[in-house]
């Protein structure tokens, strides 16, 4: 039986990423910022570049919607778990995210203005809370 690109992507890759935020981050990283095309060499080899782009685009939208459907405590828990898996000190990471706003690139191009606003408001609220937590907890909060 032939596998669909989105099913293959989920089975081989996305199911291995334990957080919604992590999947969102991963999928956004596959989008070429110049062309807007999603690029995944392995998926393109098996299904073709167009099919790969479509599967990645749909998966990005699905992960984005899944994040938006979570309430703030769920988003916080998901974000905390994602940050735990990153090699950068959390305090440094949060400071840089607040200052440089790289998370704006996680939004799918076709997201509505309301979805963009909701995503940014929620994430900026969570980052500010984490920033305050790390500032108050001392310098040894790198884990």
């Amino acid at each position: 039986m032939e596998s669909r690109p989105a099913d293959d992507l989920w089975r081989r890759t996305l199911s291995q990423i334990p957080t919604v935020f992590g999947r969102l981050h991963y999928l956004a990283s596959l989008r070429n910022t110049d062309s807007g095309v999603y690029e995944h060499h392995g998926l393109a080899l098996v299904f073709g570049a167009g099919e790969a782009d479509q599967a990645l685009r749909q998966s990005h939208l699905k992960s984005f919607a899944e994040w938006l459907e979570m309430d703030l405590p769920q988003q916080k828990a998901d974000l905390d778990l994602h940050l735990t898996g990153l090699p950068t000190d959390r305090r440094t990471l949060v400071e840089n995210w607040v200052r440089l706003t790289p998370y704006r690139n996680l939004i799918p191009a076709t997201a509505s203005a309301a979805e963009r606003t909701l995503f940014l408001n929620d994430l900026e609220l969570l980052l500010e809370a984490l920033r305050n937590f790390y500032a108050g907890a001392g310098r040894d909060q790198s884990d």
Side-chain angles (χ1 to χ4, degrees), residues 6 12 15 17 20 24 52-53 67 70 82 85 100 102 104 110:
R12 294 178 185 268
S15 66
I17 302 172
V20 175
L24 189 59
D53 171 65
W67 172 266
M70 291 194 272
H82 176 71
L100 303 173
R104 289 179 171 274
T110 57

Side-chain angles (χ1 to χ4, degrees):
M1 181 165 107
E2 187 174 311
S3 175
R4 290 186 17 226
D7 296 336
D8 189 74
L9 176 66
W10 175 258
R11 188 178 69 256
R12 294 178 185 268
T13 305
L14 298 179
S15 66
Q16 307 302 310
I17 302 172
T19 63
V20 175
F21 194 87
R23 290 191 292 273
L24 189 59
H25 188 266
Y26 172 74
L27 290 161
S29 76
L30 298 175
R31 181 179 52 201
N32 182 310
T33 56
D34 293 329
S35 67
V37 173
Y38 291 79
E39 300 168 346
H40 186 285
H41 181 72
L43 211 57
L45 278 177
V46 175
F47 297 102
E51 289 287 324
D53 171 65
Q54 189 62 29
L56 292 162
R57 186 176 306 278
Q58 289 172 348
S59 295
H60 189 187
L61 283 168
K62 182 179 176 186
S63 294
F64 186 71
E66 192 176 346
W67 172 266
L68 293 180
E69 290 170 2
M70 291 194 272
D71 60 26
L72 278 173
Q74 291 170 319
Q75 288 176 343
K76 182 184 180 309
D78 190 75
L79 183 60
D80 281 340
L81 183 59
H82 176 71
L83 295 178
T84 300
L86 298 179
T88 305
D89 169 79
R90 286 191 218 167
R91 183 179 191 168
T92 301
L93 186 140
V94 169
E95 286 294 331
N96 283 321
W97 281 14
V98 168
R99 188 172 51 257
L100 303 173
T101 67
Y103 51 84
R104 289 179 171 274
N105 292 328
L106 303 182
I107 301 171
T110 57
S112 71
E115 290 170 327
R116 289 171 186 275
T117 299
L118 179 60
F119 176 80
L120 292 172
N121 286 347
D122 285 356
L123 192 55
E124 288 167 359
L125 183 67
L126 292 170
L127 289 173
E128 198 56 44
L130 286 172
R131 181 188 214 184
N132 291 335
F133 172 78
Y134 294 136
R139 297 191 181 275
D140 59 354
Q141 294 298 315
S142 61
D143 54 17

